[in-house]
Amino acid sequence: MEAQPVGQWLDELASKASTPGGGAGAAMNAAVGAALVSMVCNLTIGKPKYAEHEATMTEALAKAEDLRTRALGLAAEDAAAFDAVVAAYKLPKATDEEKQARTAAIQAALVGAAEVPLRTAALAADVIDVAASILEGANTNVISDIAVAASSAKSALESGVVNVEVNLASMSDEQLRKETEARLAEYTPAAGRADALITQVRERLAR
């Protein structure tokens, strides 16, 4: 993912191939949000006017860079997880044994396919929180980019939620479904925090 040109990746996303798909797109949105946080930090660090916020910006930059790297990894993992689901559905089902093995393989693949967007949602929530942490001390010339970072991360979060839910719908393990839903519920409130952050930025820009 890191070495592939953006245009080429978008061509693949637009093609008839099933991967990359929406899950990878969600992770890339999270990566964009993290990158914008890094940009704001880089344009703030070292400027005397914002010296008192140097430590906060430096810490946020390190977090954002880690999140961006992890988001790119999730984009690749999502494609692999979806491919595993497709492969499981293609398994033979001529005999009862084959049917049982196929069903087990499908369920295992669905667990993996739900886990990746779940982690994407968690990561997106982290991007939103890191973006919020730099608003007070950020270079005022680029605070609009904090709002864009929050918006991108919110999109990643909401997309991750949808992709978790689509896999949960086909899961037969009720306990696992409930556990996954509970984990997902931990991250969804970050969407509201993103909206609040965007509103804060817009109010500052209107002054």
Side-chain angles (χ1 to χ4, degrees):
M1 293 297 301
E2 292 186 13
Q4 186 176 22
V6 174
Q8 182 183 337
W9 184 82
L10 289 173
D11 284 343
E12 292 181 7
L13 187 64
S15 73
K16 293 181 180 179
S18 55
T19 55
M28 290 298 283
N29 276 334
V32 168
L36 285 168
V37 172
S38 292
M39 186 195 77
V40 174
C41 291
N42 281 320
L43 288 171
T44 305
I45 292 170
K47 295 188 180 298
K49 182 178 178 180
Y50 307 102
E52 65 180 296
H53 303 289
E54 190 90 2
T56 297
M57 293 295 160
T58 301
E59 181 181 355
L61 176 59
K63 289 180 180 178
E65 289 297 280
D66 176 62
L67 290 168
R68 176 159 60 103
T69 298
R70 286 164 49 199
L72 289 175
L74 285 170
E77 285 184 48
D78 184 84
F82 184 82
D83 286 342
V85 173
V86 173
Y89 273 103
K90 289 181 178 178
L91 290 173
K93 51 182 178 178
T95 67
D96 288 341
E97 287 185 355
E98 287 180 346
K99 289 178 181 178
Q100 290 177 359
R102 177 177 177 271
T103 297
I106 290 171
Q107 291 302 310
L110 287 171
V111 172
E115 180 64 25
V116 177
L118 183 63
R119 286 159 52 203
T120 298
L123 188 147
D126 287 342
V127 173
I128 291 166
D129 291 339
V130 174
S133 76
I134 65 171
L135 179 59
E136 289 304 318
N139 185 330
T140 56
N141 293 318
V142 288
I143 62 168
S144 62
D145 293 292
I146 297 177
V148 179
S151 180
S152 296
K154 181 187 176 186
S155 174
L157 172 59
E158 293 176 333
S159 301
V161 170
V162 170
N163 281 301
V164 170
E165 290 175 343
V166 74
N167 287 292
L168 287 180
S170 299
M171 278 189 195
S172 59
D173 188 328
E174 187 63 27
Q175 182 60 34
L176 183 57
R177 287 179 62 181
K178 289 181 179 179
E179 290 174 359
T180 304
E181 288 170 351
R183 289 172 61 193
L184 189 61
E186 295 177 18
Y187 313 128
T188 52
R193 298 198 294 274
D195 287 336
L197 178 56
I198 294 167
T199 297
Q200 284 181 280
V201 171
R202 295 180 71 182
E203 287 175 347
R204 292 192 179 206
L205 293 173
R207 290 175 186 171

